[in-house]
Amino acid sequence: MWNSLSLDGCWRFIALAIESTEQNLGKAEIGKLCQSDTFEYACAVALLRESLARSRQLAEKAADEARQQARRAAVRLALSALEPPEEISLPDLDCAGIASNESECRVFLDLIPLPGRAAAFAAVEFDSGFEEAAIRMVQLQALLRTRARAYHEDLAELAESTRRAMLSPGADWPAARLFLARYRSGARRLQYINAGFLPPFLFRRTALGAEALRLRHTGPPFESRSGFRCEEAEIELAPGDLLLAVSSAVPAAANPAGEAWGEVRLVETLSGWQPAPAQALLDQAVSSWRAFLAPAAALPPHLFLLLRPKP
């Protein structure tokens, strides 16, 4: 009987000693019950089963941690195949960026030199982390780089050609949110498509003071399950402007008190910016974000891209 008794059943049996007081049993009867061999056996069975249950929980936790460590190692190995952003040197545009996947594989950033004193900028964020994310990132980077030089005059076709090349029988991957831009020196104009990426911020100084504008979405997220339709948009980048693109986890990240950094703090970080190299301004924004989250906090996957027209 005891071998088939559940843990709760054992403890219910043990509780009879306490429940018996409600039946007005005397001290002798309660003592007799507690000293019986049956009662001691029930206690031993209950304690053993509780110990086994805790051991199973610890073993499952250890196995889960081992799986997570193996997954992170696999991601690091795959991400090591990503090429670092190429060096960009343009006479009238300064740029800087960072992409980090410390906790989960979600974002990547690339800078691509183009013919005719031009450059392309790609910021990508997957909707969710997944086991093949790192491999998809490596594939996506290679495709964007080869197609950027062939299709850079038509960003929508560049993106659609890349999406088609990523398809294969049975392929299925979460939507990728893509901000893809092209800048040509001399014209001071930025052509871009924004396929579901968090709309970048454009900080602009006017006669009436500083203002923060937003670039718009020009199409849906970039995914494997449906066709892709995206139009190209254009803005002028004048001296005194700043363009900042960040992944969605940046404003959504919360401090230990559960308060999100938010877009208002992001805007306040750079709204009063002083002339400085793009890298210094980027460091200012990233440092402010990290300090808000807490210095020792585990950071979510994050991406920052900053463009600053030179005088």
Side-chain angles (χ1 to χ4, degrees):
M1 177 182 71
W2 297 108
N3 289 335
S4 62
L5 190 61
S6 68
L7 180 59
D8 288 342
C10 290
W11 286 118
R12 282 197 298 271
F13 181 84
I14 294 170
L16 283 174
I18 299 173
E19 294 173 0
S20 65
T21 59
E22 299 177 358
Q23 300 172 8
N24 298 316
L25 294 178
K27 292 182 178 180
E29 286 81 358
I30 295 174
K32 184 177 180 180
L33 175 63
C34 293
Q35 293 172 10
S36 68
D37 292 341
T38 302
F39 182 81
E40 291 181 2
Y41 184 64
C43 287
V45 170
L47 292 173
L48 176 60
R49 292 191 173 183
E50 182 180 30
S51 177
L52 290 173
R54 289 179 177 175
S55 296
R56 282 196 297 270
Q57 291 174 353
L58 291 174
E60 290 171 358
K61 182 179 179 180
D64 183 62
E65 290 178 352
R67 286 192 294 269
Q68 293 297 327
Q69 289 178 0
R71 182 179 179 184
R72 287 192 290 268
V75 167
R76 287 194 297 270
L77 179 61
L79 285 177
S80 66
L82 268 178
E83 295 290 337
E86 297 185 55
E87 292 291 331
I88 299 293
S89 179
L90 298 174
D92 55 1
L93 184 73
D94 191 12
C95 61
I98 181 176
S100 173
N101 292 283
E102 295 177 15
S103 58
E104 187 180 13
C105 192
R106 291 280 293 274
V107 299
F108 94 88
L109 171 70
D110 206 8
L111 312 180
I112 309 168
L114 297 176
R117 297 196 307 172
F121 307 89
V124 181
E125 178 178 18
F126 284 98
D127 272 4
S128 61
F130 61 115
E131 291 183 0
E132 294 184 0
I135 297 173
R136 290 292 181 187
M137 286 184 182
V138 173
Q139 182 184 18
L140 184 56
Q141 182 187 54
L143 290 169
L144 283 173
R145 284 190 171 190
T146 56
R147 281 157 174 73
R149 293 173 174 85
Y151 295 99
H152 62 86
E153 296 296 341
D154 188 343
L155 296 180
E157 178 56 29
L158 189 163
E160 171 58 9
S161 174
T162 300
R163 189 193 71 85
R164 289 196 304 266
M166 289 181 69
L167 296 179
S168 61
D172 189 18
W173 33 277
R177 301 182 180 274
L178 170 68
F179 175 70
L180 181 63
R182 176 186 65 246
Y183 180 85
R184 188 179 303 280
S185 291
R188 289 196 180 275
R189 307 195 72 81
L190 186 82
Q191 290 82 29
Y192 71 92
I193 61 170
N194 184 3
F197 197 85
L198 186 69
F201 297 82
L202 177 61
F203 298 91
R204 175 161 286 169
R205 289 175 174 168
T206 69
L208 300 177
E211 59 180 355
L213 309 174
R214 302 294 294 272
L215 274 59
R216 63 187 180 91
H217 285 130
T218 65
F222 188 76
E223 59 183 335
S224 62
R225 302 175 188 175
S226 62
F228 181 76
R229 295 291 181 272
C230 198
E231 63 179 12
E232 188 173 307
E234 182 180 88
I235 59 167
E236 180 181 4
L237 285 181
D241 289 349
L242 277 185
L243 180 73
L244 177 67
V246 299
S247 57
S248 63
V250 172
N255 63 13
E259 184 182 8
W261 195 45
E263 295 184 358
V264 173
R265 287 188 179 87
L266 189 154
V267 170
E268 290 175 347
T269 299
L270 289 174
S271 59
W273 71 279
Q274 298 299 319
Q279 187 62 56
L281 294 169
L282 179 73
D283 291 343
Q284 174 185 325
V286 174
S287 296
S288 175
W289 178 65
R290 288 180 171 173
F292 176 81
L293 298 184
L299 299 176
H302 55 277
L303 179 152
F304 288 76
L305 170 64
L306 189 143
L307 305 181
R308 183 187 72 86
K310 296 177 183 178

